[in-house]
């Protein structure tokens, strides 16, 4: 990248074993900056760091032992002597806390959980860069307008030698423009830039900031420049420098950039673990400072806000007392208070004042000032600020570590669970793809068989399963609830089609007579009923009485009701006037049409089969309706498994899911047709009556016994229950029902026998057929469905090209999986690091 190359020329960036010279930098996809160094040269002459060798080892740069560089008696360069003499001796435990947080931050854990940190915030030109310079000794970029175009994190560590490494931490899914989406968040995947002087660090920050923003057509980025600084005279401290607050747009600062900056500042302000280092010019009204107003909204008690007053040397004469009141926390009070610092002015920079001299000038300023000299030294000076910041950060870390450990553990488990939901990675090899396909098919079959092989006790798996497991799915309940309903409806429809149900029942007309006799409707003659004829319905299973018979009946008819009959315990006498026998006439006609050479008194099997077959034909419609209803239930179950509650492994492949849905519908249609053919065969068998069940004879005898019992019940109609009377009436009944002495006695007898046999055989055949239909649908449709479906689905894997089409690799899923895996990796490493503390 020529633009980065131009910016890095003369910076003196050194890579491990690299040749210093004409420097070209390119942004790598691995997440850092890949500095490619070409031929050695002396083009960097003047930097005073490269000798005739041309080759500079990183360790030598870090140790400050580059040939040609003047050193003092302890090996320090002149520039290193100019670095800020800040901080004091820090106990081991303090360093451990700071190292812990720095390690977690380098792992990128702040993307997942809040970690203790100090964020430097303030208006543009409020002196933020000067404060950072004073604390680190690094000359941060200065200027007017939006100088800081990305966040910069500086991690300082006290050591015997000076070294600095600079890298870029790219933010995944940044809302601030098309930043790089890294496949790995591992810090080891990044390439670092090494600098050998504070000035080089400052120049690198400018170059990288420009390359990340303006060179890429963006005013601002959420990517973070990381500086890891080790030096003898820096505090053990980590700070995050954020862009300055911008209020109005200019040519260099668009409205969009202002919104981005405000969003970034707010994201840090809202984090409860963030200590807000509010940089405030001392020569402005403290009541109108923007950063304090923003901080008060998220930290109203001021528990985590520390104010830093800059430019105290620019305060108007007479206004110093107001600054003192702020430092004493009497104006705009904060629980963490305020600290004043005096940094190098522009004139000091132009005159070449170094950092050591700047600290001496600062101390003299406060000690000799008429107003500020009365303050305790805790209220002013960069050294006091550094000490307070270190104490704040270390104490906050100590408080947050238990919470941080628990939160990292919980986040790790959540992401592992989310990864498990995604299932196995999308296969990209033919063998892996087929293996994944087979696993999906097996899982699908287990689910379908689980829904189908169920009873009221719970789930029954493919091999029997646990009947008491209680794992009954809603699909099971719905399928078998629907099947039971369909079979019950089917049985009711068959029952309605019993012999004789298609015609009007046998009936007779009777005349109510002699209402004044004992047992009649009463002593008061009912003119409306007396001598009138009414129709009475008879049970078609028994032959009606003969004309002239006197019967007893309850007279409870529409518009013609006997009050005593209505009240119960009473029946009127009815004389039979005429008979109507539609069912008998129908049977007589059919028998006559089918009569052949058979002897009188012998029923012809062909005749019986013909008559019974007519009623079997009526079973076809409800049978096929039952089949269609259960087919629809099976389709609904399949759609439910495949669409409404698909498992993750299938849900991720919509093409495969749609293809399986089509296979399912084809299978059901095929099995439905096969089952229909089988049911038609059952109907054909029922049209040819046959049974070895002796219950048929028992049923036939019971039918005839019922008629005899009815005759006996009616034998005492005249009130005479003597033996002779009973004998006379039974003989009469026998002759009447066996047509003795009648011209057509043999024909009437055959009709009655046919009716009795139809009634008896129908009861047996109906029960047999209902069971056979239910069992056939269960076997040929429901239980055959999973096996047939699996057979058809397996055809989809006949070629890898077809599987690639059905199981494509989704870029979105790959990115999502990569993001979760990266998160798990850094959280796992963070959890391990927290255990080592």
């Amino acid at each position: 990248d020529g633009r980065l190359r131009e910016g890095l020329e003369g910076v003196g960036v050194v890579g491990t074993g690299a040749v210093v010279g004409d420097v070209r930098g390119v942004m790598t996809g691995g997440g850092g900056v890949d500095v490619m160094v070409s031929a050695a040269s002396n083009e960097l002459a003047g930097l005073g760091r490269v000798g005739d060798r041309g080759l500079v080892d990183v360790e030598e740069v870090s140790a400050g032992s580059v040939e040609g560089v003047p050193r003092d008696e302890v090996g320090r360069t002149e520039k290193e002597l100019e670095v800020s003499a800040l901080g004091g001796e820090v106990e081991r435990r303090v360093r451990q806390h700071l190292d812990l947080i720095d390690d977690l931050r380098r792992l990128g854990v702040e993307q997942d959980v809040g970690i203790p940190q100090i964020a430097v915030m303030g208006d543009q030109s409020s002196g933020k860069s000067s404060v950072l310079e004073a604390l680190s000794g690094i000359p941060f970029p200065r200027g007017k307008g939006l100088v800081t175009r990305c966040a910069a994190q500086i991690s300082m560590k006290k050591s015997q030698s000076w070294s600095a490494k600079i890298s870029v931490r790219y933010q995944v899914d940044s809302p601030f423009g098309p930043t790089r989406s890294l496949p790995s968040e591992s810090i080891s995947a990044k390439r670092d830039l090494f600098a050998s002087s504070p000035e080089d660090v400052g120049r690198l920050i400018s170059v990288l900031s420009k390359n990340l923003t303006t060179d890429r057509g963006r005013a601002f980025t959420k990517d973070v420049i990381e500086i890891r600084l080790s030096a003898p005279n820096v505090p053990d401290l980590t700070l995050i420098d954020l862009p300055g607050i911008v209020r109005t747009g200019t040519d260099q600062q668009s409205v969009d950039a202002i919104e981005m900056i405000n969003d970034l500042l707010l994201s840090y302000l809202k984090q409860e673990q963030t200590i807000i280092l509010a940089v405030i010019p001392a020569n402005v009204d403290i009541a109108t400072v923007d950063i304090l107003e923003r901080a008060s909204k998220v930290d109203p008690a001021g528990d985590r806000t520390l104010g830093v007053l800059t430019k105290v040397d620019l305060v108007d004469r007479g206004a110093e007392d107001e600054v003192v009141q702020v430092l004493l926390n009497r104006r705009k009070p904060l629980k963490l208070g305020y600290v004043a610092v005096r940094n190098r002015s522009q004139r000091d920079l132009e005159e070449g004042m170094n950092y050591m001299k700047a600290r001496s000038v600062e101390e003299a300023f406060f000690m000799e000032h008429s107003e500020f000299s009365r303050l305790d030294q805790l209220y002013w000076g960069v050294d006091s600020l550094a000490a307070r910041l270190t104490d704040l950060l270390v104490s906050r870390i100590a408080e947050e570590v238990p919470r941080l450990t628990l939160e990292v553990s919980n986040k790790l488990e959540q992401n592992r669970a989310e990864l498990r939901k995604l299932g196995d990675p999308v296969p990209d090899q033919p063998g892996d793809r087929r293996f994944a396909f087979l696993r999906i098919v097996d899982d699908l079959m287990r689910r379908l068989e689980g829904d189908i092989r169920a009873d009221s006790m719970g789930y029954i798996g493919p091999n029997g399963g646990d009947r008491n497991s209680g794992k009954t799915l809603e699909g099971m309940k719905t399928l078998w609830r629907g099947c039971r309903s369909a079979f019950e409806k089917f049985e009711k429809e068959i029952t309605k089609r019993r012999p004789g149900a298609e015609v009007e029942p046998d009936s007779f007309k009777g005349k109510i007579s002699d209402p004044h006799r004992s047992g009649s409707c009463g002593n008061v003659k009912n003119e409306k009923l007396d001598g009138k004829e009414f129709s009475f319905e008879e049970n078609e299973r028994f032959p009606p009485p003969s004309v002239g018979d006197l019967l007893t009946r309850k007279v409870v008819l529409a518009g013609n009701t006997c009050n005593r009959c209505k009240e119960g315990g009473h029946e009127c006498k009815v004389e039979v006037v005429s008979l109507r026998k539609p069912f008998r006439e129908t049977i007589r006609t059919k028998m006559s049409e089918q009569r052949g050479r058979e002897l009188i008194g012998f029923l012809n099997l062909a005749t019986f089969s013909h008559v019974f077959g007519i009623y079997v034909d009526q079973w076809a419609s409800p049978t096929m309706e039952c089949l269609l209803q259960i087919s629809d239930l099976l389709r609904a179950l399949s759609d439910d498994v495949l669409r409404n509650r698909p498992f993750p492994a299938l849900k991720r492949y919509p093409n495969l899911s749609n293809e399986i849905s089509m296979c399912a519908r084809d299978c059901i249609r095929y099995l439905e047709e096969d089952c229909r053919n089988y049911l038609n065969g059952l109907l054909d068998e029922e049209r040819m009556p046959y049974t070895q069940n002796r219950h048929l004879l028992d049923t036939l005898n019971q039918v005839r016994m019922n008629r005899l019992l009815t005759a006996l019940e009616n034998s005492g109609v005249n009130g005479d229950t003597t033996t002779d009377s009973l004998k006379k009436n039974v003989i009469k009944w026998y002759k009447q029902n066996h047509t003795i002495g009648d011209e057509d006695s043999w024909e009437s007898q055959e009709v009655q026998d046919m009716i009795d046999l139809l009634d008896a055989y129908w009861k047996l055949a109906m029960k047999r057929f209902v069971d056979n239909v239910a069992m056939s649908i269960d076997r040929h449709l429901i239980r055959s469905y999973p096996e047939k479906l699996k057979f058809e689905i397996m055809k989809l894997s006949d070629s890898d090209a077809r599987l690639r089409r059905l199981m494509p690799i989704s870029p979105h899923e790959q990115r999502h999986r990569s993001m979760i895996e990266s998160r798990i990796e850094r959280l796992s490493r963070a959890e391990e690091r927290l255990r080592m503390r």
Side-chain angles (χ1 to χ4, degrees), residues 10-173:
V11 173
V13 180
V14 183
T16 303
V19 180
V20 178
D22 184 14
V23 182
R24 293 187 294 113
V26 294
M27 309 306 295
T28 68
V33 178
D34 185 9
V35 177
M36 302 183 63
V37 186
S38 59
S41 70
N42 290 323
E43 292 178 8
L44 298 181
L47 289 177
R49 295 182 292 105
V50 182
D52 295 334
R53 290 184 305 164
L55 296 177
V56 182
D57 193 23
V58 174
E59 287 74 10
E60 293 177 342
V61 173
S62 300
S65 59
V66 180
E67 291 183 8
V69 179
R71 301 178 178 281
D72 64 2
E73 63 274 12
V74 295
R76 291 178 296 179
T77 65
E78 179 181 355
K79 290 187 177 182
E80 289 172 343
L81 292 174
E82 293 178 352
V83 179
S84 173
L86 303 177
E89 189 65 29
V90 182
E91 297 180 3
R92 183 179 300 274
R93 67 174 185 83
V94 173
R95 186 65 257 168
Q96 288 177 341
H97 281 92
L98 296 176
D99 286 346
L100 172 64
I101 295 303
D102 287 345
D103 289 345
L104 294 178
R105 186 178 286 109
R106 279 194 289 272
L107 291 173
V109 176
E110 75 276 8
Q111 301 176 58
D112 309 301
V113 297
I115 60 176
Q117 57 190 353
I118 299 176
V120 184
M121 307 182 193
D123 285 352
Q124 288 184 358
S125 304
S126 62
K128 288 194 303 93
S129 298
S130 299
V131 172
L132 293 171
E133 282 183 12
L135 290 170
S136 65
I138 294 175
F140 278 77
R142 295 168 177 251
K144 296 181 179 180
L146 184 59
V147 177
T148 305
R149 295 182 178 274
C150 62
Q153 173 190 306
I154 176 168
S155 300
M156 295 173 281
K157 181 179 181 181
K158 189 182 294 295
S159 67
Q160 294 183 354
S161 60
W162 192 98
S163 65
K165 292 187 290 186
I166 301 95
S167 62
V168 177
R169 186 172 75 242
Y170 294 96
Q171 300 298 307
V172 179
D173 299 331

Side-chain angles (χ1 to χ4, degrees), residues 430-446:
D432 296 337
R433 193 159 29 241
R434 181 172 176 80
F435 180 73
F437 172 80
L438 293 177
R439 290 188 61 180
I440 291 174
V441 174
D442 288 342
D443 197 359
L444 174 62
M445 290 303 104
R446 280 195 298 270

Side-chain angles (χ1 to χ4, degrees), residues 456-583:
S456 60
M457 297 298 293
Y459 171 73
I460 300 179
N463 297 319
D466 182 2
R467 292 177 60 87
N468 298 315
S469 63
K471 297 180 181 178
T472 304
L473 299 175
E474 185 60 31
M476 303 176 188
K477 299 176 183 178
T478 302
L479 175 64
W480 287 103
R481 187 188 306 125
C483 287
R484 284 194 299 271
S485 176
F487 289 141
E488 289 171 2
K489 180 181 178 182
F490 166 67
E491 184 176 6
K492 290 179 181 178
E493 291 298 319
I494 295 297
T495 303
K496 292 179 182 179
R497 287 158 172 79
R498 64 186 303 163
E502 79 282 6
V503 297
E504 295 181 11
D506 289 352
S507 62
F508 68 91
K509 283 190 176 183
K511 179 172 62 175
I512 301 175
S513 63
D514 200 10
H516 298 290
R517 301 189 64 167
S518 175
S520 65
C521 292
N523 296 325
V524 179
K525 189 175 182 179
N526 190 332
E527 298 292 345
K528 187 175 182 180
L529 299 179
D530 185 41
K532 299 298 190 297
E533 294 183 4
F534 298 96
S535 293
F536 293 88
E537 189 173 296
E538 280 294 324
N539 192 319
E540 71 272 19
R541 293 177 299 173
F542 308 108
S546 302
V547 175
D549 284 350
L550 190 62
L551 308 176
T552 58
R553 292 290 185 271
K554 284 185 178 294
V555 181
V556 183
L557 307 172
N560 298 286
T561 301
C562 170
N563 291 332
R564 292 184 63 188
C565 290
K566 183 177 181 181
E567 293 170 359
H570 172 73
E571 291 183 338
C572 290
K573 288 184 178 181
V574 178
E575 180 184 355
V576 178
V577 176
S578 62
L579 299 172
R580 189 170 185 274
K581 302 176 284 186
F583 178 53

Side-chain angles (χ1 to χ4, degrees), residues 641-678:
V641 172
L642 294 171
R643 300 182 184 277
N644 299 336
R645 49 185 177 100
F647 46 99
L650 181 60
K651 191 175 183 180
R652 69 198 299 190
Y653 302 121
N655 292 348
L656 179 60
S657 179
N658 291 335
E659 196 74 22
I660 292 177
S661 295
M662 294 176 62
C663 286
R665 292 189 172 273
D666 290 342
C667 283
I668 294 174
R669 186 164 50 248
Y670 173 85
L671 292 174
E672 179 185 312
E673 186 62 28
D674 181 63
C675 189
R676 179 180 288 105
N677 294 334
Y678 190 85

Side-chain angles (χ1 to χ4, degrees), residues 189-421:
K190 301 177 182 178
R191 297 290 300 277
D192 297 328
L193 293 171
F194 292 83
S196 56
S197 71
E199 289 76 10
D200 287 347
V201 176
R203 285 195 289 268
L204 273 175
I205 293 173
S206 296
V207 171
L208 291 177
S209 178
K210 181 174 180 293
N211 182 261
L212 291 171
T213 55
T214 55
D215 287 351
R216 298 173 184 269
R218 295 178 294 184
F220 177 75
T221 179
K222 200 179 179 182
D223 301 329
V224 180
I225 297 176
E226 293 182 331
I227 304 107
R228 296 187 290 281
L229 173 66
S230 297
N233 299 312
V234 296
D236 286 292
L237 189 61
T238 298
L239 300 173
I240 299 175
D241 180 33
L242 299 175
I245 298 173
V246 182
R247 293 184 179 81
T248 57
T250 64
D251 293 341
Q252 293 79 26
Q253 298 163 184
S254 67
V255 175
D256 290 341
I258 294 174
E259 287 187 13
M260 294 177 185
I261 293 171
N262 288 336
D263 290 342
L264 178 67
L265 293 175
L266 182 59
S267 70
Y268 277 88
L269 286 168
K270 290 192 300 185
Q271 297 180 39
E272 295 183 359
Q273 294 76 27
T274 298
I275 298 171
I276 304 167
L277 186 61
V279 180
I280 309 159
N283 58 346
V284 300
D285 184 3
I286 193 73
T288 62
V289 174
D290 193 348
I291 186 56
L292 291 182
E293 289 300 316
R294 299 189 186 207
S296 66
K297 294 179 181 178
V298 295
D299 181 31
D303 294 327
R304 54 187 180 90
T305 304
L306 174 64
V308 179
L309 298 183
T310 61
K311 303 182 181 181
V312 289
D313 53 327
L314 301 181
V315 176
D316 294 337
R317 185 178 299 279
E320 295 93 338
D321 182 64
E322 184 64 22
V323 176
V324 171
Q325 296 302 313
V326 173
L327 291 172
L328 293 176
N329 221 17
R330 295 170 182 170
R331 299 280 191 276
K332 204 76 172 180
L334 301 171
K335 285 189 177 180
L336 299 183
Y338 295 85
V339 176
V341 295
R342 195 274 186 191
N343 297 316
R344 290 183 297 175
S345 64
Q346 187 61 35
R347 182 177 178 181
D348 294 336
L349 291 172
E350 292 172 357
E351 293 177 355
M353 180 184 293
N354 60 28
Y355 299 104
M356 300 288 289
K357 179 64 175 177
R359 299 286 68 75
S360 300
V361 171
E362 179 189 48
E363 182 177 4
F365 172 79
F366 284 107
M367 294 291 291
E368 298 172 3
H369 195 280
S370 59
E371 296 293 333
F372 300 145
S373 60
R374 294 179 296 168
L375 296 170
D376 189 284
Q377 193 169 347
L378 293 174
Y379 291 102
W380 54 265
V382 172
D383 290 341
S384 295
L385 175 62
R388 290 183 65 177
L389 289 175
T390 300
D391 289 343
L392 277 173
L393 186 56
V394 170
S395 62
R396 186 60 60 92
I397 293 172
E399 293 173 1
E400 291 290 329
V401 163
R403 189 272 315 167
L404 191 60
T405 302
L406 180 61
E407 191 169 350
V408 166
S409 178
N410 291 339
K411 288 279 187 178
L412 182 58
E413 184 55 37
Q414 291 172 8
N415 282 273
R416 285 172 175 167
E418 187 174 356
L419 186 62
R420 286 194 295 269
K421 288 182 180 179

